[in-house]
Amino acid sequence: MSPKTLAYYPGCSLHGTSAEFDASFRATARELGLTLEEIPGWECCGNTAAHSINRLLSLALPVNELAKVEKDMKLDAVAVPCAACYSRFKTGAHEMQDPAVADDVKSVVGRGYDGGVTVQNLVDVYHDAVGLEALAAKVKRPFKSLKVACYYGCLLTRPPDVTQADDPEYPTRMEAVVETLGCEAIDWNYKTDCCGAALALTEQGIVDDLVARIVSDARACGAAAVAVACPLCQANLDGRQSEIARKDSAWVGLPVLFLSQLVGRAIGLGDKELGLSKNLIDARAVMA
Amino acid sequence: MATCSPSGVLATKVGAGCAENPYLCYQCKRCTAGCPVADQAGMHPAQIMRAVQLGQYDMIFEDKFIWLCTGCQTCTTRCPQGIDIAGIMDELKIIARREGKVHPDAPSAQMFKYNYDSFARWGRMWEIELIARDALHRPKGVLAWLSLGPKMLLKGKINPTLKKGDTDAMKRMVKTAESLTEAKQHEGGKG
Ligand code: SF4
Ligand code: SF4
């Protein structure tokens, strides 16, 4: 396997509240033989705010980053581990197929983008850029049948026109990755249900209900941990559970881990490198 | 119904912004069935679609629903008519803001604005700034952070510093996108 170089777009959350996602992602990439080149002077992709305020800007921001990867960095793939950013990148690239939109976007960005960059989310990086066989070869400390609920949330697979996900309602690619690590991926009902996303900033009651429903189903289906590939999903599932537990003394917390943390543990990285101490629901027992 | 067309008057407002045709909706309510917040406001997605068809924007803007929509794309994924309903929700948020009809009790609407201002100013979104601005304008909102906030601080999950992006490039893009959008708005007649 030749060494691969991917452009890397961390996004605002990975530089902010989800520093452990950034750290664990970089550490696993390094161990798995990927070189990550952070996009120089990257901008915010506009996240959930831009597309509800200015549609054109919401497309131009990610396309500007894609143009940097294509024209300045001369790379053909970018890793975008935040699922929300990933969705904006895929949407930007998708909308460029409309020549009128592409024209407007070009005026905002100041140059064209020729569509030569593959956008990879966290699951894609391990599943495709590294590859399951190569990943298996690097597993030093396989999990002993840890039961994991793979949670995709909304934007890794939806809408399928944009993401090209094979099975947007019941995806299984994350399961393939965790099984390579020795985990047992469980079948469950809420893997693509919404966790409430940014409503966690303003409508916490709604988010608590959604999170409780998702986590209860994972637990009822036998999971001992939830794997996620999105900083917002992690913050909501982990952080809101700690709030739910405060109000409901019978609540038993289910650890919520970034896929990169699970991969890192299996390929032999230490707790510190994986930022395990940052999880609000203690994850050290399942990661021991 | 057969005579309704997107070139008619009623739904052109939405169609002009996001190029979707709301008249394709035949009220099967599949969007509503899968929507995580369908029961959290007065209206649900299929009702919003009907109101768009009928041009009843005031009814939509008097309800909180569009500001609770998480953008989860479940409706768009499942609609048998291939309508990008989530895209229509975004367009409704844009129209509400443009026409000064943002719901008075919709903190998410303000949060979107703080978020937009933040990345427009710094090149990147600064999470702490959003929460601080919200706290200033909505002291009640602080209550929700009283227990989780300190926990996150202790865990080192809140990074008080910000690494800026390329702020010049960001400002240029924001300015161009806003003026282009405005120009199209005028071109397209009164929105
Ligand atoms: S799913 Fe589509 S056709 Fe059915 S009610 Fe919703 S918008 Fe209308
Ligand atoms: S995108 Fe909005 S309207 Fe559609 S299902 Fe999700 S929350 Fe409901």
Side-chain angles (χ1 to χ4, degrees):
Chain A
M1 194 186 70
S2 62
K4 273 195 195 138
T5 303
L6 297 177
Y8 175 38
Y9 180 84
C12 305
S13 291
L14 273 74
H15 267 211
T17 45
S18 301
E20 72 274 33
F21 191 11
D22 180 58
S24 57
F25 178 63
R26 285 179 195 267
T28 56
R30 188 192 63 223
E31 288 300 308
L32 294 168
L34 291 178
T35 305
L36 298 178
E37 272 185 36
E38 188 165 331
I39 301 177
W42 55 267
E43 314 292 340
C44 175
C45 70
N47 67 68
T48 42
H51 62 85
S52 65
I53 294 182
N54 187 305
R55 191 176 122 83
L56 176 56
L57 184 65
S58 79
L59 301 174
L61 291 176
V63 170
N64 181 49
E65 301 305 312
L66 288 167
K68 284 186 208 168
V69 174
E70 183 180 67
K71 312 247 181 264
D72 305 338
M73 303 173 78
K74 310 237 181 309
L75 292 171
D76 60 4
V78 59
V80 188
C82 168
C85 300
Y86 166 77
S87 169
R88 297 317 309 161
F89 274 62
K90 291 291 277 188
T91 304
H94 180 78
E95 294 289 318
M96 293 291 279
Q97 291 166 12
D98 176 339
V101 173
D103 254 14
D104 287 347
V105 168
K106 194 174 171 186
S107 339
V108 176
V109 171
R111 60 177 163 176
Y113 164 61
D114 301 321
V117 179
T118 310
V119 182
Q120 300 197 321
N121 61 40
L122 186 67
V123 179
D124 296 337
V125 169
Y126 297 128
H127 194 288
D128 305 333
V130 175
L132 296 180
E133 255 174 63
L135 178 61
K138 292 275 186 176
V139 170
K140 295 193 191 111
R141 287 176 67 203
F143 286 94
K144 291 193 192 75
S145 66
L146 172 69
K147 291 192 174 180
V148 174
C150 292
Y151 178 68
Y152 295 76
C154 306
L155 301 176
L156 285 181
T157 62
R158 284 194 297 266
D161 288 356
V162 168
T163 62
Q164 287 109 33
D166 315 332
D167 188 349
E169 301 282 0
Y170 205 79
T172 50
R173 281 160 57 87
M174 202 190 312
E175 278 81 350
V177 174
V178 303
E179 291 195 329
T180 305
L181 310 174
C183 301
E184 184 186 326
I186 60 148
D187 277 318
W188 64 306
N189 304 293
Y190 287 96
K191 64 166 94 169
T192 55
D193 272 45
C194 177
C195 71
L199 287 185
L201 293 174
T202 50
E203 307 277 354
Q204 289 86 0
I206 296 178
V207 177
D208 287 357
D209 288 349
L210 297 172
V211 167
R213 209 173 61 179
I214 292 164
V215 175
S216 302
D217 183 64
R219 197 190 295 110
C221 293
V226 181
V228 298
C230 168
L232 207 50
C233 297
Q234 204 279 341
N236 284 359
L237 258 47
D238 187 41
R240 296 319 301 176
Q241 265 197 89
S242 80
E243 288 293 283
I244 296 168
R246 200 165 56 85
K247 291 172 200 149
D248 173 2
S249 57
W251 185 269
V252 184
L254 206 55
V256 182
L257 292 150
F258 287 111
L259 181 60
S260 48
Q261 292 176 312
L262 288 168
V263 170
R265 148 69 167 74
I267 62 176
L269 298 173
D271 290 5
K272 211 163 165 222
E273 229 169 340
L274 302 177
L276 278 190
S277 63
K278 294 203 176 206
N279 285 58
L280 290 167
I281 303 285
D282 201 337
R284 277 167 297 192
V286 299
M287 293 286 268
Chain B
M1 287 299 290
T3 55
C4 288
S5 84
S7 54
V9 282
L10 298 178
T12 46
K13 238 190 219 182
V14 157
C18 64
E20 288 298 311
N21 177 2
Y23 290 106
L24 289 172
C25 168
Y26 50 33
Q27 289 292 300
C28 69
K29 299 188 177 60
R30 209 167 159 191
C31 49
T32 297
C35 173
V37 292
D39 55 355
Q40 299 288 345
M43 296 178 81
H44 58 67
Q47 288 174 327
I48 302 264
M49 291 300 297
R50 179 58 106 207
V52 168
Q53 290 176 332
L54 297 173
Q56 293 178 338
Y57 291 95
D58 284 342
M59 187 183 210
I60 297 171
F61 298 148
E62 277 158 24
D63 190 71
K64 269 185 78 169
F65 182 83
I66 56 169
W67 302 110
L68 296 182
C69 164
T70 64
C72 75
Q73 307 282 340
T74 309
C75 49
T76 296
T77 300
R78 296 185 184 166
C79 175
Q81 289 290 80
I83 306 170
D84 178 8
I85 302 143
I88 289 181
M89 296 301 166
D90 278 339
E91 194 55 33
L92 288 167
K93 291 177 208 172
I94 292 170
I95 297 171
R97 207 176 285 279
R98 193 169 67 218
E99 299 189 351
K101 291 188 180 153
V102 171
H103 196 284
D105 180 29
S108 313
Q110 308 311 323
M111 200 52 98
F112 284 136
K113 182 71 171 68
Y114 303 150
N115 189 328
Y116 185 97
D117 291 347
S118 184
F119 71 68
R121 179 174 314 141
W122 309 112
R124 293 183 190 167
M125 185 257 296
W126 192 15
E127 291 153 324
I128 275 288
E129 184 184 30
L130 273 48
I131 295 174
R133 280 186 74 185
D134 183 49
L136 278 177
H137 291 93
R138 199 175 58 103
K140 203 174 73 184
V142 180
L143 292 177
W145 295 104
L146 284 184
S147 87
L148 189 54
K151 265 191 262 178
M152 290 178 69
L153 258 180
L154 276 176
K155 290 275 184 182
K157 285 189 81 82
I158 296 178
N159 184 354
T161 61
L162 167 85
K163 253 182 151 175
K164 289 188 220 170
D166 181 344
T167 49
D168 291 341
M170 177 59 90
K171 282 187 182 130
R172 179 178 45 75
M173 288 190 285
V174 170
K175 212 171 142 217
T176 320
E178 286 178 353
S179 50
L180 250 173
T181 305
E182 210 175 303
K184 295 224 166 193
Q185 192 53 38
H186 285 298
E187 221 173 84
K190 214 189 123 12

